[in-house]
């Protein structure tokens, strides 16, 4: 199966391990004790398989296949030699592979803690734009402050309603292609927070079955923070009317803006880590940090939004959710370390921002679907009540001149980051996933091939492309990468640029490209992806104190992991759109929610890159999807003749 034109063959290798290697594999990386969870939500948990370590030769072979469309023949030959050397019997690849296999025997998941550290906690760029996605809710019908607060009260009640299912472990188990998925991410999204460090961050979670579970949320308004108890008489949640009453009180008590302390959380992580450690020496500040970190989530009641023409509304809401719109707008009305921030702004603009370290988009989308459905279905009026509720507690930081200066610096940083981001939120209305399914193709593969085509139309070449693939079929699974640029996609793109190609040839090549993408997807979701495996081999070398293998220092490795297209599908039942920033300076971030009859897209790029424009990619993507539809329609018409 693996011997081909590239000239590699799968080998059966016996591994033996040295004592140094045995010592290097520390059994420290269990993210959470699996034994404690027994409710319906975790019914499959103990039966989920452990993430496998793919065979070394399989990964090396597939790696070569994936870099082929990105390299010249000369560079490819160089890379092939490095791959051969890395994979030779008794070579460094086999030794590292052995280390990974040993690690996988000791841990529930050999990858998860490494991935958490590598992708998130060691990441030092600001989480805003670079790491934290936002979800744009469908525009709501409220138009004034009263409507905004009533909707916010419903959102809070809806999340608390969802929380009951997490707390009593009764949430229905997620499935992908019929297989049950790991549900632990749900356990980490509420009452959790990232904590900045001067070199590495950490995460805290305060679950309902832990000691002293939190009963409050934090509300941000006019850059002021309030701690609001959302349960009374033990664990009875406040009614929507009671929450509304409390929010009215908070708004009345925060008519003036304060120093935007929250803007510090949008800083570079080392910078914020140092400021945090300094502020944390003060007892009042320490108590406030703890109150925010322990809170179930943060609710941001936004004040201002730029007035824009209707057609710019979605883009503006996307910006508000992703970064707050700047230091003069809502960027200070956030606590970017918090795992979940629900943002309710004026004019029906709302959504959420989430800190990515504890979870991927799909669990967040499930929470959001539940919350919005709850908001739509509650019928009793939200009305003022005269209940004697304990007023929310104002969280007032002690700010030294140093911290005030840091806030001024943070304002400058975030404003320049924001200035640099270009975002396009749009609905592709010609068709949705029903049309693609009716043509017996995978909608996800079809969209990915259209993205390849859009990129090719602009640049005349393919680029390394990342699509998230869920590894939640495995215990504590996170993601691997689907490398969407393939030899088959490249063939299709080149055929599209060739006016001599017949429609039937285009149909054939398109189907081949989409099917090839589906094959890669299946491979990735079944734990046979290549990116996390190669990363694991590299991290194993580092953990052993060895040099990073030449294979991972090679140009091909850099090119094939310089993901100019960073993409993800986050399906939601509601008509929402998730959005995030590009992962490289000259790249795009593309997220989509395929609905039956339309597809929601968010495309981001950096203005500082002269070569990228999210507007251009969006136009080319729209064009590409339409052209691919035409090819299929023409193909099926001629088949009928
Ligand atoms: N003919 C007809 N229908 C087809 C088909 C074909 N050839 N191929 C697929 N379909 C159907 C599927 O059965 C499915 O049907 P459903 O809507 O009734 O469930 C639908 O089309 C969608 O399938 P597809 O488009 O192939 O995508 P998928 O649901 O398998 O998802 C991934 C693919 C990669 C998005 C998914 O595997 C995944 O990993 N998701 C998680 C990604 C993630 O974590 N993102 C967040 C990062 S923050």
């Amino acid at each position: 199966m693996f011997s081909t034109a590239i000239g590699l063959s799968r080998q059966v290798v016996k591994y033996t391990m040295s004592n140094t290697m045995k010592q290097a594999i520390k059994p420290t990386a269990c993210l959470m004790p699996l034994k404690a969870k027994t409710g319906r939500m975790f019914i499959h948990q103990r039966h989920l398989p452990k993430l496998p370590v793919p065979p070394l030769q399989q990964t090396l072979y597939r790696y070569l296949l994936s870099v082929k469309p990105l390299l010249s023949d000369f560079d490819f030959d160089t890379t092939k030699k490095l791959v051969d050397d890395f994979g030779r019997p008794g070579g460094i690849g086999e030794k590292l592979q052995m280390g990974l296999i040993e690690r996988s025997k000791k841990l529930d998941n050999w990858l998860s803690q490494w991935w958490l550290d590598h992708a998130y906690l060691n990441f030092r760029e600001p989480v805003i734009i670079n790491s934290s996605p936002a979800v744009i809710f469908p525009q709501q019908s409220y138009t004034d402050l009263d409507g905004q607060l009533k909707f916010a009260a419903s959102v809070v009640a809806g999340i608390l309603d969802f929380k009951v299912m997490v707390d009593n472990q009764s949430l229905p188990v997620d499935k992908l292609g019929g297989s049950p998925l790991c549900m632990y991410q749900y356990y980490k999204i509420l009452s959790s927070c990232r904590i900045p460090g001067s070199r590495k961050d950490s995460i805290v979670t305060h679950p309902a079955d832990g000691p002293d579970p939190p009963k409050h949320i934090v509300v941000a308004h006019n850059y002021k923070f309030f701690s609001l108890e959302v349960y009374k008489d033990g664990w009875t949640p406040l009614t929507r009317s009671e929450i509304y009453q409390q929010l009215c009180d908070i708004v009345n008590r925060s008519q003036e803006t304060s120093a935007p302390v929250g803007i510090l959380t949008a800083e570079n992580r080392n910078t914020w880590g140092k400021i945090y450690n300094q502020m944390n020496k003060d007892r009042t500040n320490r108590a406030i940090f703890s109150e925010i970190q322990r809170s179930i989530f943060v609710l941001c009641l936004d004040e201002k939004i730029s007035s824009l023409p209707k057609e710019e509304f979605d883009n503006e809401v996307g910006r508000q959710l992703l970064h707050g719109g700047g230091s003069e707008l809502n960027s200070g009305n956030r606590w970017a370390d918090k795992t979940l921030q629900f943002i309710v702004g004026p004019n029906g603009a709302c959504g959420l921002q989430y800190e990515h370290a504890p979870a991927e988009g799909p669990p967040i989308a499930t929470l959001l679907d539940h919350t919005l459905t709850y908001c739509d279905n509650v019928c009793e009026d939200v009305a003022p009540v005269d209940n004697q509720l304990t007023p929310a507690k104002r969280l007032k930081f002690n700010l030294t001149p140093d911290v005030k200066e840091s806030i001024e610096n943070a304002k400058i940083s975030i404003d320049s980051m924001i200035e640099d981001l270009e975002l396009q939120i749009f609905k592709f209305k010609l068709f949705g996933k029903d049309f693609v399914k009716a043509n017996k193709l995978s909608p996800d593969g079809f969209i990915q091939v259209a993205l390849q085509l859009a990129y090719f139309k602009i640049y005349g070449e393919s680029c390394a492309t990342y699509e998230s693939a869920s590894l939640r079929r495995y215990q504590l699974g996170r993601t691997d990468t689907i490398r969407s640029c393939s030899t088959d996609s490249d063939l299709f793109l080149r055929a599209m640029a060739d006016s001599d190609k017949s429609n039937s040839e285009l149909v054939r090549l398109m189907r081949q490209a989409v099917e090839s993408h589906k094959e890669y997807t299946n491979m990735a979701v079944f734990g046979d992806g290549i990116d996390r495996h190669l990363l694991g081999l590299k991290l194993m070398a580092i953990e052993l104190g060895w040099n990073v293998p030449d294979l991972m220092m090679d140009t091909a490795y850099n090119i094939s992991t310089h993901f100019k297209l960073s993409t993800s599908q986050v399906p939601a039942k509601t008509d929402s759109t998730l959005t995030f920033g590009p992962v490289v300076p000259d790249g795009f971030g593309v997220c989509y929610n395929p609905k039956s009859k339309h597809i929601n897209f968010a495309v981001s790029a950096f203005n500082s890159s002269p070569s990228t424009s999210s507007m251009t990619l969006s136009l080319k993507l729209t064009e590409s999807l339409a052209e691919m539809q035409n090819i299929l329609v023409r193909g099926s018409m001629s088949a009928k003749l």
Side-chain angles (χ1 to χ4, degrees):
M1 181 183 172
F2 300 115
S3 66
T4 66
I6 294 179
L8 272 173
S9 62
R10 192 174 181 180
Q11 296 166 11
V12 179
V13 186
K14 279 200 165 174
Y15 301 112
T16 52
M17 200 171 54
S18 69
N19 282 338
T20 345
M21 194 171 268
K22 279 183 190 154
Q23 281 155 15
I25 304 159
K26 305 171 208 113
T28 52
C30 185
L31 292 166
M32 194 172 292
L34 288 179
K35 56 184 181 300
K37 310 286 168 281
T38 52
R40 194 180 77 178
M41 171 178 161
F42 292 105
I43 194 154
H44 298 289
Q45 196 68 32
R46 299 201 65 72
H47 309 294
L48 293 179
K50 282 171 81 166
L51 180 69
V53 179
L56 181 64
Q57 296 301 330
Q58 169 185 296
T59 293
L60 294 179
Y61 165 69
R62 285 175 172 164
Y63 171 65
L64 279 178
L65 275 187
S66 77
V67 297
K68 192 123 190 33
L70 303 172
L71 299 179
S72 67
D73 288 349
F74 178 81
D75 286 343
F76 181 76
D77 285 346
T78 313
T79 298
K80 168 131 178 15
K81 285 191 191 105
L82 285 174
V83 166
D84 286 347
D85 186 53
F86 183 81
R88 79 186 143 76
I92 185 167
E94 284 189 358
K95 293 191 175 110
L96 295 173
Q97 174 79 356
M98 197 164 52
L100 280 190
I101 291 170
E102 214 43 43
R103 181 178 166 91
S104 74
K105 288 182 192 156
K106 294 194 175 152
L107 305 177
D108 291 324
N109 185 312
W110 64 265
L111 175 65
S112 295
Q113 186 68 44
W114 266 353
W115 181 246
L116 180 65
D117 289 344
H118 171 83
Y120 301 110
L121 303 181
N122 287 328
F123 182 72
R124 306 326 285 155
E125 295 299 315
V127 290
I128 296 294
I129 297 175
N130 299 305
S131 168
S132 296
V135 186
I136 304 155
F137 294 1
Q139 185 176 4
Q140 302 298 311
S141 55
Y142 64 82
T143 49
D144 58 7
L145 176 64
D146 192 54
Q148 182 184 347
L149 297 184
K150 284 180 175 157
F151 180 72
S154 296
V155 167
V156 173
I159 300 163
L160 295 182
D161 193 59
F162 183 83
K163 185 175 182 297
V164 173
M165 289 190 287
V166 177
D167 291 351
N168 65 21
Q169 301 177 16
S170 63
L171 200 62
V173 176
D174 289 346
K175 301 223 163 131
L176 188 62
S179 304
L181 302 182
C182 176
M183 296 295 283
Y184 265 89
Q185 293 187 15
Y186 286 99
Y187 206 67
K188 307 219 62 167
I189 56 181
L190 293 167
S191 316
S192 104
C193 196
R194 181 167 174 147
I195 300 182
S198 52
R199 301 186 64 180
K200 180 182 177 183
D201 294 358
S202 53
I203 304 179
V204 281
T205 306
H206 300 277
D209 56 0
D212 191 19
K215 291 181 164 179
H216 66 283
I217 63 170
V218 163
V219 182
H221 181 245
N222 268 334
Y223 313 154
K224 293 180 168 64
F225 294 94
F226 295 82
S227 173
L228 170 62
E229 290 276 330
V230 285
Y231 295 93
K232 59 184 179 185
D233 309 330
W235 282 100
T236 308
L238 297 190
T239 64
R240 284 159 58 239
S241 293
E242 287 168 334
I243 298 167
Y244 164 72
Q245 178 184 328
Q246 292 286 44
L247 296 182
C248 291
D249 179 53
I250 286 172
V251 167
N252 285 334
R253 288 163 60 196
S254 52
Q255 287 301 302
E256 302 292 320
T257 54
S258 293
V261 186
I263 214 160
L264 291 169
T265 62
E267 263 287 15
N268 167 286
R269 302 306 295 174
N270 287 349
T271 310
W272 169 218
K274 283 183 199 134
I275 301 164
Y276 175 89
N277 289 340
Q278 206 53 40
M279 287 179 76
N280 211 24
K281 290 180 186 155
D282 176 285
R283 201 172 352 146
T284 304
N285 292 341
R286 194 161 57 242
I288 295 176
F289 286 150
S290 166
E291 196 79 359
I292 298 175
Q293 288 157 3
R294 286 174 45 76
S295 65
I296 300 167
F297 59 89
V298 168
L299 171 71
C300 307
L301 297 173
D302 278 5
E303 265 293 295
K304 315 163 199 135
I305 187 165
S306 335
S307 54
L308 286 163
K310 192 165 170 16
E311 59 278 11
E312 265 295 300
F313 184 82
D314 285 351
N315 290 341
E316 178 55 22
V317 176
R319 288 191 281 266
Q320 290 293 325
L321 299 174
L322 205 51
H323 51 58
S327 61
E328 295 298 312
L329 293 171
N330 294 301
S331 298
N333 207 43
R334 304 278 183 272
W335 197 263
D337 293 350
K338 192 68 190 164
T339 307
L340 279 176
Q341 297 189 83
F342 288 83
I343 299 160
V344 182
N347 304 327
C350 54
L352 65 85
Q353 186 191 96
Y354 82 92
E355 198 290 298
H356 209 325
E360 266 66 59
I364 310 287
T366 307
L367 183 158
L368 154 74
D369 283 342
H370 180 92
T371 304
L372 288 184
T373 309
Y374 177 96
C375 292
D376 284 348
N377 290 345
V378 277
C379 7
E380 81 276 14
D381 280 345
V382 173
V385 285
D386 54 8
N387 298 3
Q388 290 306 307
L389 299 166
T390 314
K393 185 169 65 187
R394 168 82 201 278
L395 306 174
K396 195 161 183 290
F397 287 99
N398 281 337
L399 301 179
T400 60
D402 279 358
V403 174
K404 286 184 184 157
E405 194 185 326
S406 300
I407 291 174
E408 292 310 309
N409 293 338
K411 285 185 188 173
I412 296 168
S413 308
I414 192 155
D415 286 346
S416 78
M417 274 171 60
I418 286 172
E419 189 66 27
D420 198 17
L421 189 82
E422 191 204 355
L423 194 61
Q424 292 295 322
I425 312 291
F426 66 98
K427 218 179 257 304
F428 174 80
K429 292 183 181 158
L430 271 186
F431 60 88
K433 61 180 177 176
D434 283 358
F435 166 79
V436 189
K437 278 160 80 168
N439 280 278
K440 304 207 169 4
L441 285 167
S442 146
D444 188 65
F446 190 87
I447 294 167
Q448 285 290 329
V449 172
L451 264 165
Q452 291 295 309
L453 181 57
Y455 188 93
F456 190 85
K457 278 171 182 273
I458 304 170
Y459 300 98
E461 61 182 17
S462 298
C463 73
T465 306
Y466 180 114
E467 184 191 355
S468 312
S470 176
L471 285 179
R472 286 177 57 214
R473 281 168 202 266
Y474 301 99
Q475 287 181 26
L476 305 180
R478 297 293 302 259
T479 57
D480 204 330
T481 308
I482 302 165
R483 292 190 169 202
S484 300
C485 164
S486 65
T487 307
D488 287 325
S489 68
D490 203 56
L491 278 175
F492 171 62
L493 310 184
R494 288 179 196 284
M496 286 293 283
D498 178 351
S499 53
D500 289 342
K501 285 279 184 280
S502 67
N503 195 68
S504 61
E505 182 64 354
L506 292 177
V507 171
R508 189 184 71 75
L509 290 170
M510 183 201 300
R511 285 192 174 279
Q512 189 171 298
V514 175
E515 274 152 25
S516 167
H517 181 272
K518 189 71 197 171
E519 261 173 46
Y520 201 118
T521 301
N522 286 337
M523 180 182 104
V525 299
F526 283 102
D528 272 332
I530 61 177
D531 279 272
R532 300 300 183 267
H533 187 197
L534 291 174
L535 176 73
L537 293 164
K538 178 175 163 184
L539 294 177
M540 180 51 70
I542 292 170
E543 206 157 290
L544 287 163
W546 299 356
N547 287 337
V548 172
D550 291 346
L551 175 63
M552 286 95 181
M553 303 296 282
D554 177 33
T555 317
Y557 189 75
N558 289 331
I559 292 177
S560 69
T561 54
H562 185 85
F563 292 111
K564 289 194 181 175
L565 282 174
S566 168
T567 74
S568 188
Q569 178 186 153
V570 180
K573 292 199 182 94
T574 51
D575 203 9
S576 315
T577 316
L578 190 137
T579 176
F580 47 76
V583 296
V584 294
D586 53 347
F588 298 94
V590 183
C591 194
Y592 48 93
N593 174 12
K595 308 292 295 172
S596 300
K597 308 275 180 242
H598 67 271
I599 309 168
N600 292 341
F601 281 104
V603 179
S604 61
F606 291 122
N607 287 317
S608 53
S609 161
S611 61
T612 56
S613 151
S614 61
M615 167 79 92
T616 308
L617 187 73
S618 302
L619 291 172
K620 293 293 170 194
L621 178 57
T622 304
E623 197 179 293
S624 301
L625 286 163
E627 281 176 16
M628 286 170 63
Q629 179 192 35
N630 268 337
I631 290 168
L632 284 177
V633 171
R634 279 205 301 269
S636 57
M637 274 164 44
S638 60
K640 279 183 198 146
L641 291 176

